[in-house]
Amino acid sequence: MDSTAPSPSVLVIGSGISGLACARALHDGGATVRVVDRGRVVGGRLATKRLDDRPVDIGARYFTVPEGPEFSDGPGFSDPVADWLDRGLVRPWTDTFESLTVGAPSERKSGPVRYAAPAGLRSLATNLAESLRTDGVPVEQDSEIEAVPESGVVAGIRYDTIVLAMPDPQAARMLEPASPVAEELFGAERWQPTLSVVLAWPERRWPADLHGAFVNGSPVVAFIADDGDRRGDGAPVLVVHTTAEFARAHLEHPETGIDAVIDEVNGLLGIRERPSSTYAHRWTFSNPAEQHSEPFLLRGRIAVCGDAWGAHSAVSTAWASGDALGRALTA
């Protein structure tokens, strides 16, 4: 970037991992950047809920680390992960999950190492946000912005670029009706919902070597995570992610789906007792049903990034998309 030219000013809307990665790349590249989010805390779908006096991951299940950078010649997701490992913010969790099929014996399948966070995955977003704030970048929560015009003027301030770091349907709702950007985004029908249902027992009621399980053939359950095993404190807590079809039927009142989830999980894992406490959280746009081929979208003053932009929906993809966009804006 020409050092005699004024640094670009960028507004990043969304303080999930994609927005925070974008803000970090923008700041490191010399841009003036501000991050805002309507939520009370950072993290987006890196969501952690405190239940029964302990944090429980109710958003992303885990993350993996791809080999090398996902896009072009960027630093790669392994760089922040290495820092988090040094700080004790993340831990290798497991490379083995069960594959449970209704009415059939279970199978054990190995894959890449899945990482988890002892304090919950939202702690990683908190770390990124604190680092930005230390460097003088505003990261503002409880900040509602309802519309983003093509002019780049928001609340009387003109920005060179406005970044929408969020699922496509949420980004589209913020754009002008005739916005050409909205036409390139996936509609709500191309995103999958899920319910994250937390089930806690007084003590563990399932096999000690169960880390997590993909579930096949169930109309209710898609994935089960042992949250105590995942976080390393041994708490007898399961987090269940439902199928998209089941979630659609219970999005308005997520709590109405809890009993069916309990029955399905108890049947799959051979548990006889009902949990002592439960909680359900809805994710209307949990993950995209398909992916954009590009790492981000940039049209005029409007940009969009997130986990839908890349090879597959993942925490690493969300980070790489935001990082690639931030570097592109300051190149």
Side-chain angles (χ1 to χ4, degrees), residues 3 7 18 37 49 66 92 117 165 185 254 286 291 297 299 310 324-325:
S3 61
S7 62
S18 187
D37 192 294
K49 177 79 173 178
L185 302 178
S286 175
Q291 296 292 120
L297 178 65
R299 297 290 181 270
L325 174 57

Side-chain angles (χ1 to χ4, degrees), residues 35-85:
V35 181
V36 299
D37 192 294
R38 67 180 181 179
R40 185 176 56 85
V41 294
V42 300
R45 282 171 288 162
L46 288 188
T48 303
K49 177 79 173 178
R50 195 160 192 88
L51 298 168
D52 297 331
D53 202 32
R54 72 181 288 276
V56 180
D57 281 320
I58 60 171
R61 306 167 182 178
Y62 51 79
F63 68 85
T64 59
V65 182
E67 292 185 10
E70 185 159 354
F71 305 124
S72 67
D73 56 352
F77 187 51
S78 59
D79 281 13
V81 173
D83 180 60
W84 292 332
L85 284 167

Side-chain angles (χ1 to χ4, degrees), residues 251-273:
L251 278 180
E252 188 171 353
H253 300 288
E255 68 280 359
T256 62
I258 292 176
D259 284 343
V261 169
I262 292 172
D263 291 342
E264 194 77 351
V265 169
N266 281 7
L268 286 165
L269 299 182
I271 302 173
R272 297 181 179 180
E273 299 87 355

